[in-house]
Amino acid sequence: MDRATICVQGGYEPKNGEPRVLPIYQSTTYKYDSAAELAKLFDLESPGHMYTRISNPTVDSVEKKVAELEGGVGAMMTSSGQAASLISVFNIASAGDNFIMMGNLYGGTTNLFLVTMKRMGIEARVVNPEMSDEEILSLFDDRTRLFFGETIANPSLAVFDFDRFVPLAHSKGVPLIIDNTFATPILCRPFEHGADIVIHSSTKYMDGHAVVVGGMIVDGGTFDWTKGGKYPELTEPDESYHGVVYTESFGKSAYITKARVQLMRDLGSTPQPIAAFLLNLGLETLSLRIRKHSENALAVAKYLETRSDVIESVSYPGLESSPEHARAMKYLDDGLSSGVVSFSMKGGREKAMKFMDSLHLASIVVHVADARTCVLNPASTTHRQLSDEMLKEAGIDPGFVRFSVGIEDVKDIISDIEGALACL
Ligand SMILES: *Cc1c(COP(=O)(O)O)cnc(C)c1O
């Protein structure tokens, strides 16, 4: 089926007389006829739900839909994108291990990887595209467990170079985990480009209406965990599960099964059934919305390019002038690049704040990827404590504006920007 159809109908097939719309199974627990049947579930010998911390029918349907959209063998929803990032790495890395991360990841992910996971004894090593292959390969050692990147980086909007980084990771025997949040499976299917695990903050375009925080991990089912002896968590008996060996018992689904029955069981970053229900409503229109977001954003980016009188630079992969354009055309459907446009105002932080205050239709929020156009200036908000000099060191221009183009009529969005620029 086409992805537009999966968005609407995937994951839930009501039988005769059952509700047409995916029901919210608001139950923490499930009833069984005999103790023996339940015991089989606990032995992971038969499928079924035992407790909502681990799985739930509403959540399960949405996981199936996203797995189908990405082309993976299974998915697990989490309470947030942060939880998805943490579990995706922690599932195959333990204290003493390390992994490679791109330097342009979302700020929250960077913090999690460089500060919090360091306290768990797991070290993240940072690479950037300017480094040579040799320099990147020299960061790997026999404790390196994975390579982590973002399809369209938030907020630099760099497009991940799958054809360069996938062979580097695989040559060292480690999987690529890719955060596909901004592209969504409508614009990019990372498994088709060699990625092994996909994660999402479903809080962004997947929900798309700014109503529910959530995350998703999808297993491509193609990585061979048994080669090289690097993944004892998957290939050796799990003491906490009376000796199950995930690769032997679950084959292609070893990674995602372990993430659920071991880490979700222990860490408990479980989504509520209503969160899955709300996410599902968002997913139903995802394929329509992400195209509209992208078309509107390209028009906005083109307009901003004509305003070099007040705007220093515009960054949007869909622009022909963008250094990311070739990669956008290669990896994103029709070069559609999502709704986020970044630009730098001439005159720094002060002008950026004045511009934002003068907008009417676009609202100032700490969010992106909403149906409603919204805007954020990192220098005056999320990075407020930093001086202009410290900002530059962190690669953030004080006049940098992250503009998330919504699905309103694009003429109205552009005239809002035009009006605000006139106020400067
Ligand atoms: C927002 C975001 C996250 C974190 O997701 P939450 O749902 O806010 O926890 C991770 N990655 C990217 C690319 C994001 O934009």
Side-chain angles (χ1 to χ4, degrees):
M1 278 194 294
D2 188 88
R3 279 177 183 77
T5 312
I6 300 168
C7 276
V8 183
Q9 301 238 4
Y12 175 63
E13 258 181 79
K15 297 191 196 76
N16 189 41
E18 288 183 350
R20 182 65 196 92
V21 174
L22 173 66
I24 305 172
Y25 288 93
Q26 193 64 48
S27 179
T28 62
T29 193
Y30 309 88
K31 178 201 168 270
Y32 288 93
D33 288 341
S34 73
E37 262 183 73
L38 193 53
K40 271 196 214 159
L41 284 181
F42 271 89
D43 282 346
L44 302 177
E45 278 171 11
S46 67
H49 304 287
M50 37 185 168
Y51 188 54
T52 286
R53 173 157 25 87
I54 297 155
S55 68
N56 169 279
T58 309
V59 178
D60 181 61
S61 292
V62 183
E63 290 168 341
K64 288 205 167 84
K65 178 179 281 190
V66 174
E68 219 181 318
L69 284 171
E70 287 285 5
V73 295
M76 180 175 81
M77 188 176 171
T78 56
S79 54
S80 68
Q82 287 299 102
S85 298
L86 169 63
I87 292 177
S88 73
V89 172
F90 197 47
N91 203 32
I92 49 171
S94 304
D97 291 338
N98 64 72
F99 67 100
I100 308 294
M101 63 173 265
M102 295 297 289
N104 59 13
L105 302 180
Y106 168 68
T109 312
T110 303
N111 220 50
L112 168 66
F113 288 175
L114 290 178
V115 181
T116 299
M117 292 201 80
K118 191 174 170 190
R119 294 172 58 199
M120 299 163 73
I122 300 169
E123 179 202 349
R125 300 177 175 177
V126 179
V127 303
N128 60 62
E130 288 72 46
M131 292 165 71
S132 70
D133 288 1
E134 289 68 35
E135 282 174 303
I136 292 174
L137 289 171
S138 72
L139 292 177
F140 287 75
D141 60 28
D142 58 1
R143 297 298 297 268
T144 305
R145 293 295 181 256
L146 61 107
F147 193 115
F148 196 105
E150 285 176 14
T151 309
I152 303 176
N154 174 9
S156 77
L157 308 180
V159 178
F160 189 79
D161 194 348
F162 289 93
D163 286 352
R164 178 175 177 212
F165 297 119
V166 167
L168 289 182
H170 286 173
S171 76
K172 292 290 186 179
V174 307
L176 170 68
I177 303 183
I178 192 93
D179 181 336
N180 200 30
T181 296
F182 271 19
T184 82
I186 305 303
L187 302 184
C188 180
R189 266 83 49 209
F191 295 141
E192 292 172 6
H193 303 294
D196 303 285
I197 306 293
V198 168
I199 70 131
H200 285 279
S201 164
S202 62
T203 318
K204 311 296 163 55
Y205 288 112
M206 281 189 167
D207 162 25
H209 299 77
V211 294
V212 63
V213 174
M216 197 68 78
I217 304 176
V218 191
D219 186 348
T222 46
F223 193 80
D224 184 357
W225 306 103
T226 61
K227 236 165 62 184
K230 277 178 183 262
Y231 303 97
E233 303 94 335
L234 288 161
T235 59
E236 288 173 20
D238 179 357
E239 291 153 38
S240 79
Y241 243 119
H242 27 75
V244 70
V245 175
Y246 294 104
T247 46
E248 282 174 13
S249 298
F250 301 102
K252 285 186 182 313
S253 303
Y255 173 96
I256 201 70
T257 304
K258 175 180 173 291
R260 181 186 302 284
V261 304
Q262 187 198 64
L263 291 185
M264 191 57 100
R265 177 198 63 185
D266 293 356
L267 301 178
S269 44
T270 309
Q272 293 299 316
I274 186 141
F277 174 84
L278 291 169
L279 172 58
N280 190 50
L281 287 186
L283 286 169
E284 288 182 4
T285 56
L286 177 64
S287 104
L288 290 174
R289 285 185 291 105
I290 194 70
R291 286 177 182 278
K292 182 71 174 165
H293 277 290
S294 303
E295 287 159 16
N296 280 0
L298 182 58
V300 165
K302 283 184 173 159
Y303 169 74
L304 291 169
E305 271 199 319
T306 68
R307 296 304 305 269
S308 54
D309 52 330
V310 279
I311 288 167
E312 187 72 49
S313 61
V314 185
S315 158
Y316 185 68
L319 283 175
E320 271 170 44
S321 59
S322 165
E324 305 299 322
H325 187 68
R327 277 187 292 282
M329 295 306 291
K330 188 170 177 185
Y331 300 120
L332 306 173
D333 279 14
D334 305 323
L336 294 174
S337 306
S338 93
V340 183
V341 178
S342 297
F343 58 95
S344 274
M345 302 286 306
K346 285 184 176 162
R349 196 187 307 229
E350 198 188 319
K351 284 281 191 231
M353 287 172 78
K354 181 91 203 292
F355 166 74
M356 288 175 35
D357 291 347
S358 309
L359 291 163
H360 296 289
L361 186 139
S363 48
I364 303 171
V365 298
V366 183
H367 192 48
V368 287
D370 185 7
R372 287 147 289 229
T373 296
C374 53
V375 65
L376 182 78
N377 165 235
S380 62
T381 54
T382 51
H383 294 67
R384 189 172 176 73
Q385 69 283 7
L386 302 189
S387 67
D388 283 7
E389 239 165 58
M390 288 158 80
L391 280 176
K392 282 206 176 108
E393 243 168 68
I396 297 167
D397 187 279
F400 179 85
V401 173
R402 192 178 66 177
F403 201 88
S404 172
V405 181
I407 55 175
E408 303 93 342
D409 190 290
V410 73
K411 291 192 296 296
D412 293 331
I413 302 171
I414 291 175
S415 87
D416 192 33
I417 296 172
E418 202 165 19
L421 291 177
C423 295
L424 295 180

